[in-house]
Amino acid sequence: MSERLGIVGSPEKDPYGNDISLEKYRETGFVEVFCKAADFVDFSSGIGVPISLKKGALAWKGEMAGFRLGVVNEAFTPRDFIAFLEGMRVGIYTIRMDPETPVSSDIIGAKAYLG
């Protein structure tokens, strides 16, 4: 298995607290992958690197499109990740998804890997 980058999540919620990252994906074709700041890797020369996303038997493909450091809050999903990172700095990778592997709400919580 290739190097793990982090997990797919979204800091964006609708007025009812539901994750709206799928709406964002449908508009932009991108998802966000989060990791601990200590695990963050600078991809200055890696834009376009292939990324695979997996969750159980489900799999998606994409490519690195951007990266930055940020801070998470209580609105972040998946909940198991935010439980110990609230208010802490995290690495955020922006992944351009391959249109050949359609995204559904199942992608929230998927693990992202290089390659």
Side-chain angles (χ1 to χ4, degrees), residues 43-79:
F43 275 93
S44 296
S45 61
I47 300 301
V49 168
I51 304 295
S52 59
L53 300 104
K54 299 179 185 204
K55 183 177 178 184
L58 301 172
W60 301 268
K61 294 180 182 178
E63 66 180 32
M64 182 68 64
F67 55 91
R68 66 189 187 283
L69 286 170
V71 177
V72 295
N73 60 46
E74 73 281 351
F76 176 77
T77 58
R79 299 268 181 236

Side-chain angles (χ1 to χ4, degrees), residues 1-2 4-5 7 11-12 22 30-31 34-35 38 43 51 56-57 59 74 77 83 85 87 91 96 98 104 106:
M1 178 75 50
S2 300
R4 182 176 166 190
L5 291 177
I7 61 174
E12 298 175 87
L22 270 265
F30 294 86
V31 296
F34 295 79
C35 68
F43 275 93
I51 304 295
E74 73 281 351
T77 58
L85 286 179
R96 178 181 298 112
D98 181 347
S104 68
D106 293 321

Side-chain angles (χ1 to χ4, degrees), residues 8-10 18-23 25-26 31 55 58 60 77-78 102-110:
V8 176
S10 173
N18 299 314
D19 176 61
I20 60 169
S21 62
L22 270 265
E23 282 303 312
Y25 164 74
R26 289 180 182 104
V31 296
K55 183 177 178 184
L58 301 172
W60 301 268
T77 58
V103 172
S104 68
S105 60
D106 293 321
I107 200 166
I108 302 300

